[in-house]
Amino acid sequence: MCGIVGYIGNRDVVDVLLKGLTNLEYRGYDSSGIALNDEGNIKIFKALGKLGNLKGLLKEQEKNIIDPVAGIGHIRWATHGSPTEDNAHPHTCNCGKLVLVHNGIIENFKDLREELIKKGCIFKSQTDTETIAHLVAQEYDAVKDLKKAVTKAVKRLNGAYAICVMYKDEPDKIVVARKNAPLLIGIGQNEHFIASDIPAVIEYTSQVVYLDDMEVGVVKKDEFHVYDVEGNEVNKKIEKLPFEPVALSKRGYKHFMLKEIHEQPDVIRNVLNGKLYDIDEKIILNEVKIDKETLKNLQRIEIIACGTSLHAAMVGKYLIEDFCGIAVDVEASSEYIYRKTVTNEHTLVIGVSQSGETADTITAIKQAKKKGAHVLIITNRPDSAMAREADSLIPINAGIEVSVAATKSFTAQLMSFYMLAMFLAEIKGSVPKDILKELKHDIIQLPTLIDEILTHKEPIQRCARLFANTKDFIYIARGINLATAYEGALKLKEISYINATGYPAGELKHGPIAMLDESMPVLSILMEGKVYEKILSNSEEAKARNARLIALTSSQDKTLDDLFEVVLRIPKVNELLSPVLASVPLQLLAYYIAEFLGKDVDQPRNLAKSVTVE
Ligand code: AGP
């Protein structure tokens, strides 16, 4: 959602801004814009829709851009006010000397707007952001110093902001500030970059400084300084970026999603690295900063997450309850934050998030922390706001995930839960050693088994072609694969816009069965193990209502070919590990259907990669 880029230095400013915005595109947006401080003039360019429109506009306007010394850019995902050119950032003040881009939401913007209108400010947009531009400009009139003006203005803002501000008469600087929204300064030789996320700067530098809440930065070509809101300079740590520029290339794949699906064997190896050395050795999880005695006596865990991360959490619950007998509640962050939860200092709260920036999950873990719980964060972004809140932090090391539809991060989250559940089981002594040994052995095979699935994609492609024009889909499963069904259905919905729903197979006859006929395919996740026969019976019930049946199975049983129209077979694996394998064909099925339908696979409509608003 939304993205910020800023640059001050000797490179082609427009080029740096556009490349940066292009690398943030995956976050989801509906308009874009840049502002330049060019030969003593502020110039603003905005366009609706995809970045191509802004690029086209800038090409047309080339002759009007002379020699910009600094610039700021933004992609906007509409929250306050519809996607229009007027609402696109950058925003400005009455005199047009100040320009500003903003990520986040200003909660008290209505009061501020009224106050500013009374003072003569003329608003051109419906955004909360324009309020900040007028507010800073008002302060500037009094103090005649951009840093001081920004510092005074941000003290009046409630909510979340990452802002980048330029002023016509101070062309040597960009002033930045943040609260509850990420912002970093990229350090170069005689140049500095500003971005809301790493991909925007990764091509130019690997050294960054992350701004913390309530800090204000003054970024110049050859120096930068960061201050707290009282004006005291803060000594910031320079950090090395955790990713390489190559992470942003499709490496020959048609879409990032397909590339990321294929990265899953390596992602699993990365998760295991340093945690699982040998089947005879215990799981090492030094990231968990709770003493063994407390872990041994742990009675209750809450896991909070959204979307795909929530589905990984469901598998986590199954594993921890099964291995350790600890009661685990899983809840969507957006529900958790609006009720009285029974969370206290004896609860371990686990927040799961690919991005580490999901607003609902951040709020939820902050609430849990206030209640005294130990907060463990499982995330792909150890540099994120959520990671900073963590008492214990498990990075999942999946590498940058560009496709909006999460794939490899889901697998890495699952693997992290296997590690955590086994780690806890070993501390509690709740699972016999030989069973854990066998499980470790099977876990080590997972990358090879996924490779096997990935080298035989044709049956999945055929199935996708066969069902691409279906309007609805039902995915059924039981036990540990119920979450796989939810996740498979979510993938299909997200990128193909087909109405797909996951159900516990046993629930089919309690309502959903009424919908079944030849127009409603039912996909059964049939992994050999405890619930295989049960799901088979549920599939028969669907068949009796004329539903078209697809099986995703680890079974070689040939009679399945009589019951099901399509049988997708995956390698046999311990049932407890089957979600890792079963998810892959479901990701591919969604991918090929969406691709067949000509959908924008990596950037589905209305979706954002990081949902930074509640
Ligand atoms: C996954 O395909 C989705 N794009 C979405 O459901 C996502 O999982 C959700 O928004 C949570 O994001 P997070 O993991 O970054 O917190």
Side-chain angles (χ1 to χ4, degrees):
M1 265 179 181
C2 298
I4 286 178
V5 183
Y7 177 69
I8 187 157
N10 295 330
R11 293 178 199 251
D12 179 336
V13 178
V14 173
D15 188 56
V16 174
L17 296 180
L18 287 179
K19 275 195 184 139
L21 292 177
T22 305
N23 286 344
L24 294 180
E25 257 193 310
Y26 73 98
R27 297 176 67 90
Y29 69 104
D30 35 50
S31 61
S32 59
I34 64 166
L36 306 170
N37 207 331
D38 186 15
E39 299 249 302
N41 290 309
I42 293 288
K43 296 175 183 168
I44 301 175
F45 305 89
K46 299 183 188 186
L48 208 53
K50 290 285 176 188
L51 262 181
N53 299 341
L54 179 66
K55 289 178 184 167
L57 174 71
L58 286 162
K59 190 106 200 94
E60 271 170 32
Q61 296 289 325
E62 223 167 15
K63 56 181 180 313
N64 297 323
I65 301 170
I66 302 152
D67 186 21
V69 287
I72 55 178
H74 191 263
I75 47 173
R76 172 175 187 258
W77 190 86
T79 54
H80 293 66
S82 46
T84 62
E85 243 173 67
D86 282 342
N87 287 336
H89 301 207
H91 288 284
T92 185
C93 56
N94 278 11
C95 69
K97 285 184 169 184
L98 180 139
V99 267
L100 174 146
V101 292
H102 162 229
N103 281 0
I105 286 182
I106 303 305
E107 283 157 9
N108 57 336
F109 90 100
K110 281 192 185 140
D111 293 345
L112 290 171
R113 190 176 163 116
E114 260 172 45
E115 177 192 316
L116 289 160
I117 288 172
K118 279 188 196 142
K119 287 183 178 165
C121 294
I122 299 161
F123 280 77
K124 299 182 201 84
S125 78
Q126 301 147 322
T127 63
D128 51 338
T129 302
E130 194 182 353
T131 312
I132 321 175
H134 285 291
L135 192 63
V136 179
Q138 291 267 315
E139 299 292 356
Y140 191 91
D141 287 344
V143 294
K144 301 284 182 240
D145 177 284
L146 187 56
K147 180 203 130 202
K148 284 186 186 156
V150 169
T151 309
K152 286 189 87 178
V154 294
K155 285 186 186 165
R156 301 205 53 205
L157 303 177
N158 295 340
Y161 58 81
I163 56 171
C164 239
V165 197
M166 290 195 309
Y167 199 83
K168 177 180 181 292
D169 301 337
E170 298 190 28
D172 64 328
K173 66 176 76 82
I174 300 171
V175 175
V176 296
R178 75 152 264 177
K179 185 185 161 201
N180 293 335
L183 201 66
L184 60 87
I185 301 168
I187 304 163
Q189 286 279 334
N190 274 323
E191 60 179 352
H192 285 104
F193 306 83
I194 298 153
S196 52
D197 202 1
I198 293 171
V201 301
I202 200 170
E203 213 174 307
Y204 308 104
T205 180
S206 61
Q207 292 203 307
V208 297
V209 155
Y210 293 97
L211 236 61
D212 283 311
D213 280 351
M214 305 304 287
E215 286 181 345
V216 175
V218 178
V219 185
K220 297 184 174 182
K221 203 161 105 175
D222 43 13
E223 58 179 352
F224 72 90
H225 298 275
V226 178
Y227 305 89
D228 64 21
V229 281
E230 302 313 323
N232 307 307
E233 185 155 4
V234 183
N235 214 347
K236 298 296 289 182
K237 190 173 143 219
I238 296 177
E239 297 186 37
K240 191 163 170 3
L241 287 182
F243 303 112
E244 298 295 327
V246 69
L248 287 178
S249 116
K250 288 189 196 141
R251 305 227 307 261
Y253 289 99
K254 188 168 175 195
H255 295 101
F256 278 106
M257 182 176 176
L258 193 58
K259 181 194 95 161
E260 287 157 6
I261 291 172
H262 279 81
E263 283 172 347
Q264 293 178 110
D266 280 340
V267 164
I268 295 181
R269 291 183 191 106
N270 281 350
V271 177
L272 301 186
N273 189 15
K275 299 186 179 73
L276 170 55
Y277 280 111
D278 189 278
I279 57 170
D280 289 314
E281 284 179 32
K282 286 192 174 172
I283 300 290
I284 300 167
L285 212 50
N286 297 331
E287 291 89 343
V288 178
K289 308 286 183 210
I290 308 175
D291 64 82
K292 285 201 172 147
E293 225 21 62
T294 312
L295 286 176
K296 242 184 208 167
N297 298 314
L298 201 60
Q299 294 299 316
R300 195 152 166 265
I301 296 178
E302 290 176 338
I303 317 183
I304 39 190
C306 305
T308 291
S309 300
L310 185 65
H311 299 150
M314 290 173 183
V315 176
K317 168 188 163 80
Y318 193 102
L319 294 170
I320 296 169
E321 291 191 339
D322 194 89
F323 291 2
C324 315
I326 303 172
V328 183
D329 292 323
V330 172
E331 194 165 3
S333 316
S334 52
E335 290 300 317
Y336 184 92
I337 55 186
Y338 292 113
R339 67 181 191 88
K340 199 165 153 192
T341 58
V342 190
T343 311
N344 57 34
E345 63 277 22
H346 304 297
T347 325
L348 168 62
V349 173
I350 304 179
V352 192
S353 172
Q354 186 285 129
S355 63
E357 299 295 346
T358 301
D360 284 327
T361 310
I362 292 179
T363 308
I365 59 162
K366 281 186 178 165
Q367 269 178 220
K369 269 188 96 164
K370 262 197 196 145
K371 291 185 169 182
H374 181 102
V375 168
L376 186 159
I377 298 295
I378 298 179
T379 181
N380 198 25
R381 298 298 297 268
D383 55 331
S384 62
M386 220 178 282
R388 280 154 212 261
E389 293 291 328
D391 298 310
S392 296
L393 174 66
I394 302 185
I396 62 170
N397 301 324
I400 282 192
E401 191 175 60
V402 175
S403 169
V404 166
T407 53
K408 62 176 179 173
S409 64
F410 177 65
T411 299
Q413 289 167 347
L414 291 186
M415 294 313 300
S416 303
F417 273 116
Y418 287 106
M419 295 300 104
L420 181 63
M422 289 198 288
F423 171 76
L424 292 175
E426 282 176 338
I427 287 175
K428 287 179 77 85
S430 50
V431 178
K433 280 192 184 131
D434 54 327
I435 293 194
L436 283 177
K437 189 172 164 176
E438 209 175 299
L439 200 64
K440 286 175 192 168
H441 169 271
D442 293 350
I443 283 179
I444 292 169
Q445 311 307 315
L446 286 174
T448 316
L449 298 180
I450 293 186
D451 270 330
E452 229 176 272
I453 297 173
L454 292 173
T455 42
H456 298 101
K457 297 192 285 286
E458 302 73 22
I460 305 167
Q461 283 166 316
R462 278 199 296 278
C463 179
R465 270 196 293 276
L466 206 57
F467 288 90
N469 292 314
T470 306
K471 297 278 168 282
D472 305 280
F473 243 104
I474 288 182
Y475 287 52
I476 57 168
R478 285 177 174 227
I480 196 161
N481 276 303
L482 179 56
T484 317
Y486 290 148
E487 176 57 13
L490 178 68
K491 284 290 86 81
L492 186 61
K493 265 193 284 238
E494 282 188 298
I495 61 170
S496 72
Y497 318 144
I498 291 173
N499 173 34
T501 315
Y503 282 111
E507 278 294 298
L508 207 57
K509 54 184 166 301
H510 297 288
I513 204 164
M515 297 188 295
L516 297 191
D517 60 22
E518 53 289 328
S519 68
M520 177 75 82
V522 175
L523 187 150
S524 308
I525 303 175
L526 265 175
M527 296 300 133
E528 285 165 302
K530 272 189 204 158
V531 287
Y532 179 88
E533 296 296 339
K534 295 280 172 209
I535 303 171
L536 205 53
S537 310
N538 300 135
S539 308
E540 297 271 9
E541 289 157 14
K543 177 82 169 183
R545 272 81 190 174
N546 295 328
R548 296 174 72 188
L549 297 193
I550 305 167
L552 174 62
T553 185
S554 56
S555 163
Q556 290 307 319
D557 180 356
K558 288 288 165 231
T559 62
L560 291 181
D561 298 278
D562 302 330
L563 177 62
F564 293 90
E565 183 174 339
V566 175
V567 180
L568 300 173
R569 290 198 159 83
I570 60 170
K572 187 172 163 52
V573 70
N574 182 326
E575 188 184 13
L576 287 172
L577 299 177
S578 61
V580 182
L581 294 195
S583 300
V584 179
L586 297 182
Q587 295 166 348
L588 286 167
L589 182 65
Y591 172 80
Y592 286 121
I593 289 181
E595 204 234 342
F596 188 72
L597 294 175
K599 303 294 183 203
D600 188 347
V601 172
D602 284 332
Q603 290 170 36
R605 68 182 183 201
N606 306 337
L607 292 181
K609 184 68 181 161
S610 306
V611 184
T612 50
V613 294
E614 280 183 16

